[in-house]
Amino acid sequence: MATRPKLAIVLSGGGARAAYQAGVLKAISEWSPAGAPSPFAIVTGTSSGAINATAIAAGAPDFQGATTRLAELWRTLHADDIYRTDAWSLGRSGARWLASFVPVWRHRRPASLLDNAPLANLLERVAPFGAVQAALDAGLLEALAVTAMSYRSGMSVTFCQARSDVELWVRSQRIGVRTTIAVPHLLASSAIPFVFPPASIGGEYFGDGTVRQVAPTSPALHLGADRILVVGAGRSSVRPDAPPTRSQPSMAQIGGHVLASIFTDALGTDLERIRLVNTAVRQIPLDALSHSPVPLRDVGLATVTPSVPLEDIALDFVHELPRTIRTLLAGVGGTHPGGAGFLSYLLFAPGYCGALMDLGRADARLKRDEIESLLAP
């Protein structure tokens, strides 16, 4: 008897850009009957995508309801829901950075530009962690996986809340760890280096999971996925025909390219590898494939990524940021076209997030046939 394919969704990160994923998920849920369970047995997320992943896993009994709640959350987010934006907090952070250059005060050096304590408070209030285990117990979910990077070992650590019969993995640069997902795991996975502080889990400090995640789809594959839907949020504009400039790039422009390389390069390479393996597997006879010492399978794959550069959208909504943050970003070139990439990761604001969700819904609809083919039993 044929078994039902095991479907996974992979949600990558990107700060405020992850609002795009909420739009994609909302569109997909609208094609499902009201009250239908989530089609995704395996849900994985990294960085801000880990927050979206937790919401989808917890809402497994009612996919439409889960995506509606997630969209409502993103449409009402403001910067001060994620990080401190008051002048006192920003001034104190700036003073610590300056003090870190004085030898006797180096023990007080800050670990980040911004304080994300408000995000911890928000997650404590709205994240339905208890519902994840209920979905596992009901058989509606096989695993929720959230990836972070260990600052001690440099390893990519995937924290998995999974059924007891699900096997985890140990590889040279990545490991799966069984746990119960909670606020610290989401803070760790979304702690963009230098922007947000590392998060402590079990006495060890972790940061954004995208940093050392060379294969973003690997947690889903290790957990047994036969089909994978990847929803990215990191497309950046590439304009080789842009006119040359004699001025040096701003700090925000440099930071934007660094973040883009973190959030996009590994995913693109990983997807190319899966497609190459699929092509190779299709050339192997079925009887030979069944005796392979290495488990090989043809993995169904569909991707949804932004059809337009998100930094171009960000420039239209910079006015939504608090004045203190606008001033800070202006000082490093983050409110100008060259630095808009950096801006797009920090622009937690209703207008911008709403525009990204609208784009996500539109892009998902353009790929509806491909996505529905992947979801089909």
Side-chain angles (χ1 to χ4, degrees):
M1 179 184 297
T3 58
R4 184 181 180 88
K6 193 177 296 184
L7 183 64
I9 186 166
V10 174
L11 301 171
S12 63
R17 290 171 171 244
Y20 173 86
Q21 297 171 349
V24 173
L25 290 163
K26 189 70 176 68
I28 295 173
S29 73
E30 291 169 352
W31 310 333
S32 306
S38 170
F40 304 107
I42 299 166
V43 183
T44 75
T46 308
S47 194
S48 48
I51 298 173
N52 290 340
T54 301
I56 295 305
D62 181 2
F63 188 44
Q64 278 193 9
T67 60
T68 297
R69 290 188 294 272
L70 183 62
E72 289 174 351
L73 174 64
W74 277 104
R75 284 194 185 277
T76 57
L77 273 184
H78 292 81
D80 52 15
D81 292 318
I82 308 301
Y83 49 84
R84 297 193 188 279
T85 63
D86 60 283
W88 166 252
S89 296
L90 294 175
R92 183 174 56 183
S93 176
R96 286 178 176 173
W97 277 104
L98 292 175
S100 68
F101 293 98
V102 180
V104 297
W105 289 340
R106 281 180 181 170
H107 65 284
R108 302 181 60 189
R109 63 168 58 96
S112 64
L113 176 67
L114 300 172
D115 180 357
N116 65 346
L119 174 59
N121 295 332
L122 177 68
L123 293 173
E124 290 281 5
R125 295 196 311 270
V126 305
F129 295 108
V132 174
Q133 188 59 48
L136 289 167
D137 294 341
L140 298 172
L141 181 71
E142 291 204 12
L144 165 64
V146 171
T147 300
M149 185 270 292
S150 168
Y151 280 110
R152 178 184 61 82
S153 65
M155 291 188 68
S156 178
V157 181
T158 299
F159 298 100
C160 299
Q161 187 168 350
R163 285 176 12 188
S164 59
D165 60 332
V166 173
E167 295 185 6
L168 301 187
W169 61 95
V170 178
R171 297 292 185 271
S172 61
Q173 292 298 321
R174 59 188 188 273
I175 186 173
V177 176
R178 192 178 300 274
T179 191
T180 299
I181 303 298
V183 170
H185 302 96
L186 300 188
L187 291 178
S189 186
S190 59
I192 300 174
F194 302 110
V195 178
F196 298 131
S200 176
I201 302 174
E204 184 175 352
Y205 282 95
F206 294 85
D208 197 299
T210 314
V211 175
R212 296 299 295 269
Q213 193 178 40
V214 296
T217 62
S218 65
L221 293 171
H222 282 303
L223 291 166
D226 300 302
R227 300 179 182 180
I228 301 176
L229 173 63
V230 178
V231 185
R235 182 180 187 270
S236 294
S237 58
V238 178
R239 298 187 175 94
D241 57 344
T245 175
R246 295 183 179 181
S247 60
Q248 290 186 346
S250 66
M251 290 180 62
Q253 188 172 358
I254 295 171
H257 283 293
V258 170
L259 292 179
S261 68
I262 291 173
F263 288 112
T264 63
D265 290 356
L267 180 60
T269 303
D270 192 28
L271 295 177
E272 288 179 3
R273 190 186 73 253
I274 291 178
R275 294 186 178 104
L276 287 173
V277 171
N278 282 346
T279 300
V281 168
R282 290 166 192 157
Q283 312 305 314
I284 302 174
L286 289 178
D287 57 342
L289 194 63
S290 63
H291 293 90
S292 171
V294 179
L296 296 173
R297 60 188 185 276
D298 186 349
V299 178
L301 184 66
T303 63
V304 185
T305 55
S307 57
V308 300
L310 301 188
E311 53 265 45
D312 291 353
I313 299 175
L315 286 174
D316 294 332
F317 295 95
V318 64
H319 64 276
E320 290 191 322
L321 283 172
R323 181 176 298 178
T324 51
I325 300 299
R326 293 202 308 271
T327 302
L328 175 66
L329 289 174
V332 296
T335 57
H336 302 289
F342 187 73
L343 166 69
S344 68
Y345 293 94
L346 301 179
L347 216 172
F348 294 91
Y352 176 63
C353 291
L356 296 197
M357 283 193 290
D358 291 343
L359 177 63
R361 292 179 74 180
D363 287 349
R365 288 168 179 163
L366 289 175
K367 291 200 167 187
R368 179 168 180 172
D369 290 345
E370 181 181 352
I371 295 171
E372 288 193 322
S373 176
L374 190 79
L375 301 182

